[in-house]
Amino acid sequence: MSIQRFEGNGRMSNVVINNNVMYLSGQVCAEGDIKEQTAGVLEKVENLLNKYGSDKEHILSVTIYLKDMKDFADMNSVYDAWTVNGYEPARACVEAKMAREQLLVEMSVV
């Protein structure tokens, strides 16, 4: 078994690959409203997937953390436009306290 870890900072790795499955740590974007933050998070996700040899058509699951569920529809409007029809991952979305006040959304991807 070969586990590869990338972009570690002493606390966590931003990307871990095990048995050809890629795990991304929670991705955030601290600027803008919920739509802008969602777009920023998805751009980071796509960039990491591409950098380490995958793409959004191979995402197995996404866990979405929202600061406030009132943003669910606006987040989905950006997320739905980004997701490739026919390649939708399994998904969960929950309301959660965020690590920093300005964060509205965080996504963890497998």
Side-chain angles (χ1 to χ4, degrees):
M1 175 177 2
S2 173
I3 299 173
Q4 299 172 289
R5 301 171 198 280
F6 302 96
E7 301 182 23
N9 65 9
R11 176 180 296 155
M12 59 179 240
S13 296
N14 208 21
V15 177
V16 174
I17 300 173
N18 183 40
N19 293 327
N20 282 337
V21 178
M22 185 182 303
Y23 302 84
L24 304 184
S25 65
Q27 300 299 306
V28 298
C29 175
E31 298 179 13
D33 63 16
I34 188 63
K35 288 183 177 185
E36 292 165 321
Q37 286 194 23
T38 300
V41 167
L42 293 172
E43 181 179 356
K44 285 182 174 184
V45 166
E46 193 160 4
N47 288 341
L48 285 170
L49 292 170
N50 292 333
K51 182 176 181 179
Y52 294 102
S54 192
D55 57 53
K56 62 185 178 179
E57 293 178 0
H58 289 86
I59 295 174
L60 300 175
S61 69
V62 178
T63 303
I64 301 170
Y65 306 93
L66 289 176
K67 181 176 183 176
D68 192 323
M69 287 304 278
K70 72 175 176 46
D71 290 329
F72 187 72
D74 285 337
M75 178 277 300
N76 273 330
S77 70
V78 176
Y79 178 92
D80 291 348
W82 180 82
T83 304
V84 178
N85 192 25
Y87 294 91
E88 302 89 341
R91 191 182 105 163
C93 183
V94 298
E95 185 175 275
K97 290 189 179 195
M98 306 306 267
R100 291 179 289 174
E101 183 63 29
Q102 69 270 34
L103 297 176
L104 304 176
V105 61
E106 181 171 350
M107 294 186 197
S108 180
V109 175
V110 176

